[in-house]
Amino acid sequence: MSDDLLIAKISHGFDHLDADGDGRLTEHDHVLMGQSVARALGHPAGSAEEQRIVGAYVAIWRELHLPYLPAGAQEMGRAEFLASTASLADDPEAAEATLGALARAFLAVADADGNGRVDADEFFAFQRGHFPQLRRSEADTAFAHLDRDGDGELSAAEFERAIVEYWTSRDPAAPGNWWAGSPQGAPDPTAS
């Protein structure tokens, strides 16, 4: 399969991870993302919950990105991000380890009621923190694709699988393509 879909998804993801829009991924972007997600989840600025969420995002930067940068580097450009993330598509073990850790960190934030699952409301609030233009209807459509067993919630396994698929799958029919609210560059396989 072509890498066009994979690169489109990764590029879309980078655009939203680069929270300050300067073309580089840094720790500061992770602070801004954490603050945005905290607001989207209804936590006031400066609250303990906002601090917890920002801490989770900073930990993602320090534990999942920073160790893979050249010694002394404190930022990652688009080309580096695209190349390193795309390489995970050909290394399922590394993808599961790296993106699985990311998914678990995200789940701890998105699961607002702490029941180990993410419902449609939690999904929308969490995703809206990353994708501010995301409409509820788009989030609900995406959620329906990601909820593989149709029980109205994303289990930890469904949540993790969606993230891993989004960042690694070249399959245009993979449900994980919907992670960001729409299948970036892929046709909706349920559309007629």
Side-chain angles (χ1 to χ4, degrees):
M1 289 184 204
S2 167
D3 278 345
D4 292 347
L5 169 62
L6 182 62
I7 297 304
K9 291 187 299 181
I10 295 170
S11 183
H12 180 73
F14 181 88
D15 290 342
H16 292 279
L17 296 174
D18 178 17
D20 62 11
D22 69 356
R24 300 175 320 228
L25 191 58
T26 65
E27 184 170 309
H28 179 67
D29 290 307
H30 287 72
V31 170
L32 294 174
M33 282 185 290
Q35 291 170 338
S36 178
V37 169
R39 278 190 310 275
L41 292 171
H43 303 299
S47 69
E49 275 303 300
E50 182 198 50
Q51 291 173 8
R52 179 186 70 81
I53 292 168
V54 168
Y57 277 80
V58 169
I60 289 168
W61 171 253
R62 292 180 181 166
E63 296 168 16
L64 297 179
H65 294 300
L66 201 54
Y68 298 99
L69 296 179
Q74 296 295 311
E75 63 186 37
M76 181 184 302
R78 176 183 290 277
E80 292 169 289
F81 184 81
L82 290 173
S84 66
T85 305
S87 72
L88 293 173
D90 297 318
D91 189 347
E93 193 172 296
E96 288 295 329
T98 304
L99 297 170
L102 174 69
R104 289 185 291 280
F106 278 177
L107 179 62
V109 172
D111 178 18
D113 63 11
N115 70 351
R117 305 174 70 74
V118 174
D119 65 30
D121 291 334
E122 290 169 325
F123 179 77
F124 175 63
F126 176 73
Q127 288 299 68
R128 189 80 184 259
H130 293 117
F131 309 102
Q133 291 78 29
L134 184 67
R135 294 186 313 264
R136 180 63 194 239
S137 61
E138 294 169 320
D140 287 346
T141 300
F143 186 87
H145 285 274
L146 302 175
D147 181 14
R148 293 169 194 247
D149 63 9
D151 70 353
E153 297 180 309
L154 299 180
S155 66
E158 287 171 322
F159 193 88
E160 184 172 335
R161 187 169 177 196
I163 290 174
V164 171
E165 271 187 359
Y166 179 83
W167 293 106
T168 64
S169 180
R170 293 178 177 98
D171 179 0
N177 294 341
W178 288 83
W179 174 253
S182 64
Q184 299 303 310
D188 177 356
T190 64
S192 47

